[in-house]
Amino acid sequence: MYYGAIEAGGTKFVCAVSRGGAGIEARTSIPTTTPEETLKHVFAFFDSYTLTSMGIGSFGPIDVNTDSDTYGSITSTPKPGWGFFDFLGEIKDRYNVPTAWTTDVNASAYGEFRAGEAEKSGSCVYLTVGTGIGGGAVVDGKVLEGFGHPEMGHILVRRHPDDKYEGNCPYHADCLEGMAAGPAIEKRHGQTGDRLAADEKVWEIEAYYLAQALVQYTLILRPEVFILGGGVMKQTQLFPLIRQEYKRLLNSYVDTPDPETMITAPALGDDAAVTGCLLLAAEAKA
């Protein structure tokens, strides 16, 4: 009997199985195309195993409100074919096992909380900074959700004094994602971030926005650990800049753990979300 995990990303799906929670025993990666084509390959992988439960962490927005008529669906995504797709329903129709359902970043947060960088902590926030920006939180050992799931990438931020870029978000223009996600860096500077590694001003501006976000999350959630992942955070020179700006902006208003250890990269690397899905599967109830 296996636990099954699906990390459903906008670019690819990662499917995995385990008999012991966090330990991945087999996995596959599937390009995200149409729902029908993608799920055909998902089913081909899982049909080889006897599943006892599953965990899904999906790109969003998704409906996590169990009282909603569209619970289990991906909702207002711009990704063609996936809008208001009953993802959870399709999986449960195929396998009819208890299935945990949350966002991919919530799954990452839970993976790091249970088996990664925040394993010895009581709470954490996981922020992914890549093509978009999304965040998940674990508080008192539970994934944080309310009427819906957090949309941490769309908080409003103050503009850097030297930044004239108008923003890239189609909903809010100059929100955090609009100013600090990978496409914003490329459109602001005319090159992708990996070609700008030596340009200190680029990363000073980036750190300014990300540190603002961490200060806001601190004042609302007071987490013990911030874990920053995603493609943009492969530029590891960002971490000291973010810590420095975080301390400046917070200005000792509240006590926090030492930012040098509080603000960190994921211990599980790119496996944070799929690990979180396996752990959620192990706890899933009918």
Side-chain angles (χ1 to χ4, degrees):
M1 302 291 285
Y2 289 85
Y3 302 123
I6 303 174
E7 176 193 350
T11 303
K12 66 179 180 180
F13 276 40
V14 177
C15 301
V17 293
S18 172
R19 283 175 288 193
I24 298 170
E25 297 189 34
R27 65 189 298 161
T28 190
S29 180
I30 299 162
T32 306
T33 55
T34 65
E36 295 77 15
E37 179 71 16
T38 306
L39 288 187
K40 179 179 73 174
H41 295 290
V42 169
F43 295 155
F45 174 77
F46 285 117
D47 284 354
S48 300
Y49 301 93
T50 301
L51 300 175
T52 185
S53 59
M54 298 188 73
I56 304 171
S58 176
F59 71 93
I62 65 174
D63 191 341
V64 296
N65 183 349
T66 55
D67 295 327
S68 170
D69 291 340
T70 55
Y71 170 70
S73 295
I74 297 172
T75 59
S76 55
T77 178
K79 191 161 184 65
W82 290 89
F84 292 92
F85 173 68
D86 185 11
F87 190 176
L88 180 61
E90 290 287 330
I91 296 298
K92 289 183 74 69
D93 284 348
R94 182 79 170 198
Y95 298 111
N96 192 29
V97 295
T99 303
W101 166 250
T102 192
T103 63
D104 48 359
V105 281
N106 270 343
S108 294
Y110 198 67
E112 289 289 335
F113 176 77
R114 286 283 311 279
E117 196 62 48
E119 189 174 8
K120 296 180 181 179
S121 303
S123 59
C124 71
V125 166
Y126 185 102
L127 194 71
T128 184
V129 187
T131 304
I133 296 180
V138 176
V139 179
D140 290 334
K142 297 180 180 179
V143 169
L144 181 65
E145 294 175 341
F147 180 80
H149 57 80
E151 282 287 356
M152 296 187 187
H154 291 271
I155 61 172
L156 302 182
V157 291
R158 295 176 182 170
R159 184 177 295 275
H160 189 284
D162 299 330
D163 190 9
K164 306 303 181 187
Y165 179 59
E166 66 275 12
N168 191 52
C169 176
Y171 293 95
H172 315 114
D174 57 355
C175 65
L176 177 64
E177 180 173 295
M179 300 304 284
I185 296 172
E186 181 176 0
K187 290 181 180 180
R188 179 187 290 113
H189 300 289
Q191 297 184 73
T192 56
D194 59 333
R195 294 176 176 270
L196 296 163
D199 191 327
E200 293 181 7
K201 190 65 176 181
V202 170
W203 307 111
E204 175 197 320
I205 291 173
E206 182 72 7
Y208 180 80
Y209 292 125
L210 294 176
Q212 282 188 66
L214 301 193
V215 167
Q216 293 188 51
Y217 307 148
T218 293
L219 296 176
I220 296 167
L221 296 175
R222 304 296 297 274
E224 294 176 52
V225 182
F226 284 115
I227 301 146
L228 308 184
V232 171
M233 296 310 303
K234 303 291 187 185
Q235 300 293 328
T236 56
Q237 71 272 24
L238 267 172
F239 283 96
L241 296 174
I242 292 168
R243 293 174 188 128
Q244 178 181 343
E245 188 64 16
Y246 174 83
K247 287 187 280 189
R248 186 188 74 81
L249 291 171
L250 194 58
N251 198 26
S252 302
Y253 177 63
V254 294
D255 290 333
T256 70
D258 183 355
E260 296 300 319
T261 54
M262 178 192 192
I263 301 170
T264 186
L268 298 174
D270 294 335
D271 284 341
V274 72
T275 299
C277 290
L278 286 169
L279 291 164
L280 288 167
E283 299 169 8
K285 298 177 181 179

